[in-house]
């Protein structure tokens, strides 16, 4: 007897994807269909597409790119790999920001509590470090006890209570990005516009936002090396957001030197705390205020006032408390790397470069980033007191303080960092 087709292939049956065939299609410049893309993401999330095949596919995407239709389908499939947050009726506007990644970028730690002080809800889903760029989750987890894996019910309760949570992708929220993000990080496939768009927008669309501001960075410490590519990336991100009814705006910001004066997980938390307490470096505070203004109706002066009157700081303490962190540890050095030294200026002059790409790579090599998906990051290592472009330094003045786990990594970092700084002698 002939088998009955409907019995063999019931309506809800979708056959597993044939990954070698789809990798070859993309490798040879073909366009993947919506069904192929959703099948790939479904099977990868379920664990039936192995990492080696997904790595090959992401490398093919890296070289061949994706059409706008493919990028939109990938974003949607990744968003739909998990739940989309739902809020009570008449809840405040939901807003967020996302950065395309930079060195010393601790903006989220300051901005999220600041926006919550304005009565907005900030349901922030962030990522870990990617390549040489740091990740908000790794920074937050350098606070003893801080948990970034809240379940949805706890996260929503926290939103109702203090207006902000900061968590990572979970098994229920963007699980596809959680897996793909980790894989891209260790396979040199991060700097691909369609993969960045889908990664960022799937997380932000799963947050079900009203308004989103994007900090799109360009320069040696960013994935987009020039401003033109950053503008293109910003427009691709905005296009996906608009198609899904989210008000998206963007700030194109330079990443030729690190943001602020620190790079490294715990060191950046200290600088974020200083900024929340009305101190902190001017470039960080200015960028926080620029981004806040895009999603919040309050004036720049009022927002700056929240950094000076202690209210943003108090909200950050509530956030740390609510997510299990030891808020008292924020007021004293949290981690101290055992080996520290200053790199000093070889002569007097004006700092002409403090290369974010080199500084980011050094911080990564010191142990702040991951070579493999299972690697733990070292919270204590990194750079602090980084001299800024345009500053005058005397001969032998410190250009940067290095924080290392071992003596040999300290020496390597010191050597590599010499190339990061260029000092122009005064005429
Ligand atoms: N941030 C993300 O969430 N994903 C990327 O791919 C890059 C930056």
């Amino acid at each position: 007897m002939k088998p009955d087709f409907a019995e063999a292939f019931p309506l809800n049956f979708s056959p597993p994807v044939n990954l070698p065939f789809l990798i070859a299609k993309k490798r040879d410049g073909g366009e993947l269909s919506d069904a192929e893309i959703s099948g790939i993401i479904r099977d990868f999330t379920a664990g039936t597409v192995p990492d080696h095949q997904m790595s090959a596919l992401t490398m093919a995407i890296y070289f061949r790119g994706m059409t706008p239709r493919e990028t939109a389908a990938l974003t949607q499939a990744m968003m739909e790999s998990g739940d989309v947050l739902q809020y009570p009726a008449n809840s405040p506007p939901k807003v967020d920001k996302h950065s395309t990644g930079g060195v010393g970028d601790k903006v989220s730690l300051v901005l999220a509590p600041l926006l919550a002080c304005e009565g907005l809800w900030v349901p922030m889903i962030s990522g870990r470090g990617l390549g040489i760029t740091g990740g908000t989750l790794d920074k937050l987890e350098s606070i003893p006890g801080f948990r970034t894996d809240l379940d949805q019910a706890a996260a929503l309760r926290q939103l109702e209570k203090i207006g902000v949570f900061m968590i990572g992708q979970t098994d229920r929220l963007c699980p596809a990005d959680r897996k793909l993000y980790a894989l891209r990080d260790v396979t040199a496939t991060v700097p691909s516009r369609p993969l960045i768009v889908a990664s960022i927008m799937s997380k932000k669309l799963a947050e079900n936002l009203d308004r989103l501001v994007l900090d799109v960075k360009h320069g040696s410490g960013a994935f987009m090396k020039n401003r033109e590519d950053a503008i293109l990336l910003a427009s691709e991100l905005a296009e996906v957001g608009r198609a899904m009814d989210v008000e998206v705006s963007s700030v194109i910001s330079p990443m030729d030197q690190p943001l602020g004066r620190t790079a490294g997980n715990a060191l950046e938390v200290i600088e974020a705390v200083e900024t929340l307490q009305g101190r902190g470096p001017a470039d960080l505070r200015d960028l926080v205020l620029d981004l806040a203004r895009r999603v919040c109706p309050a004036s720049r002066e009022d927002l700056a006032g929240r950094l000076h009157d202690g209210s943003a700081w108090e909200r950050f303490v509530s956030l740390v408390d609510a997510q299990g962190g030891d808020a008292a540890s924020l007021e004293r050095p949290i981690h101290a790397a055992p080996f520290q030294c200053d790199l000093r200026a070889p002569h007097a002059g004006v700092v002409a470069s403090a290369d974010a790409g080199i500084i980011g790579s050094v911080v990564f090599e010191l142990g702040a980033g991951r070579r493999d998906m299972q690697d733990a990051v070292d919270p204590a290592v990194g750079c602090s007191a980084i001299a800024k472009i345009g500053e005058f330094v005397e001969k032998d003045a410190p250009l940067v303080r290095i924080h290392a786990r071992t003596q040999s990594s300290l020496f390597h970092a010191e050597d590599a960092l010499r190339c990061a700084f260029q000092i122009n002698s005064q005429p």
Side-chain angles (χ1 to χ4, degrees):
M1 208 173 76
K2 272 170 99 189
D4 178 61
F5 184 82
E7 242 176 60
F9 296 103
L11 273 181
N12 61 0
F13 172 82
S14 27
V17 285
N18 177 345
L19 241 280
F21 170 79
L22 297 178
I23 294 167
K25 185 173 176 183
K26 183 41 73 186
R27 180 200 62 201
D28 298 340
E31 185 175 7
L32 301 174
S33 71
D34 291 7
E36 286 167 341
I37 290 172
S38 67
I40 293 167
I41 294 301
R42 178 201 61 213
D43 292 358
F44 176 61
T45 311
T48 53
V49 166
D51 286 353
H52 57 263
Q53 288 186 333
M54 200 62 184
S55 309
L57 181 68
T58 51
M59 192 55 89
I61 294 172
Y62 175 89
F63 282 113
R64 288 294 188 172
M66 283 185 131
T67 63
R69 197 195 49 70
E70 285 179 300
T71 307
L74 181 62
T75 308
Q76 177 142 5
M78 286 172 59
M79 175 190 86
E80 289 173 352
S81 68
D83 299 340
V84 173
L85 291 177
Q86 301 301 327
Y87 306 101
N90 303 323
S91 49
K94 271 65 67 185
V95 304
D96 194 8
K97 87 97 200 177
H98 201 83
S99 157
T100 55
V103 176
D105 181 358
K106 65 279 292 172
V107 164
S108 292
L109 274 59
V110 184
L111 182 65
L114 174 64
L115 292 172
C117 288
E118 290 296 327
L120 301 164
W121 276 10
V122 189
M124 191 178 275
I125 305 176
S126 302
R128 300 193 174 279
L130 266 186
I132 63 162
T133 70
T136 299
L137 298 183
D138 295 329
K139 295 170 209 204
L140 287 169
E141 286 176 359
S142 72
I143 302 170
F146 195 99
R147 286 188 48 206
T148 57
D149 61 350
L150 303 188
D151 66 32
Q152 268 179 64
L156 286 175
R157 274 197 306 277
Q158 186 173 314
L159 209 50
E160 291 186 326
K161 224 166 133 194
I162 60 169
V164 55
F165 64 72
M166 297 177 83
I167 61 172
Q169 314 96 317
T170 68
D171 289 344
R172 301 281 303 273
L173 282 174
C174 273
D177 184 56
R178 177 172 151 131
K179 285 189 79 179
L180 194 54
Y181 193 94
L183 191 69
R184 288 167 58 220
D185 186 29
V186 294
T187 54
T189 51
V190 174
S192 148
R193 279 206 315 275
L195 295 178
I196 294 176
V197 169
S199 166
I200 292 181
M201 293 311 288
S202 61
K203 285 192 283 290
K204 300 297 121 172
L205 294 171
E207 291 174 6
N208 198 359
L209 298 173
D210 298 297
R211 279 174 249 143
L212 169 66
V213 60
L214 296 162
D215 181 9
V216 184
K217 298 200 174 289
H218 61 91
S220 64
F223 298 122
M224 300 298 113
K225 298 298 172 204
N226 59 61
R227 194 175 151 80
E228 292 66 40
D229 282 346
I231 291 172
L232 203 56
L233 176 60
S235 75
E236 289 172 7
L237 286 158
E239 199 176 314
V240 174
R242 267 194 296 275
M244 305 290 277
D245 280 338
V246 183
E247 221 181 275
V248 181
S249 58
S250 48
V251 169
I252 310 288
S253 65
M255 186 30 75
D256 297 312
Q257 60 178 335
L259 188 62
R261 292 184 185 273
T262 59
N265 296 305
L267 294 166
E268 292 188 44
V269 172
I270 295 172
E271 193 168 48
V273 166
E274 288 166 4
T275 309
L276 283 158
Q277 295 177 337
R279 299 171 284 133
D283 60 343
L284 173 60
R285 191 195 51 235
D286 287 349
L287 183 57
V288 166
L289 296 176
D290 287 349
L291 292 162
R293 287 284 294 123
R294 301 298 183 105
V295 289
C296 174
S299 70
R300 199 179 174 87
E301 291 65 38
D302 286 350
L303 289 162
R306 299 242 183 230
L307 295 176
H308 284 99
D309 68 9
S311 40
W313 162 240
E314 274 167 29
R315 193 62 62 113
F316 185 68
V317 170
S318 308
L319 169 77
V320 170
D321 258 345
Q323 295 193 212
D326 174 7
S329 73
L330 298 171
E331 303 272 22
R332 51 185 148 82
I334 314 172
H335 300 273
F339 294 91
Q340 301 186 17
C341 78
D342 293 327
L343 175 72
R344 294 179 180 278
H347 54 83
V350 174
V351 178
S353 97
D355 191 290
I358 299 176
I359 296 172
S361 304
V362 166
V363 172
F364 179 94
E365 294 294 338
L366 283 167
R370 291 178 183 77
R371 285 178 198 287
D372 203 2
M373 293 198 288
Q374 287 75 31
D375 286 353
V377 298
D378 189 334
V381 298
C383 291
S384 65
I386 301 170
K388 304 292 290 184
I389 293 176
E391 283 176 351
F392 178 79
V393 287
E394 297 288 358
K395 179 176 181 333
D396 289 331
L399 293 173
V400 55
R401 184 157 190 81
I402 308 163
H403 303 246
R405 182 61 55 193
T406 63
Q407 182 96 60
S408 70
S409 64
L410 186 78
F411 289 152
H412 279 119
E414 199 181 356
D415 255 2
L417 281 169
R418 273 185 233 288
C419 308
F421 290 92
Q422 199 188 319
I423 315 289
N424 285 351
S425 307
Q426 294 289 70

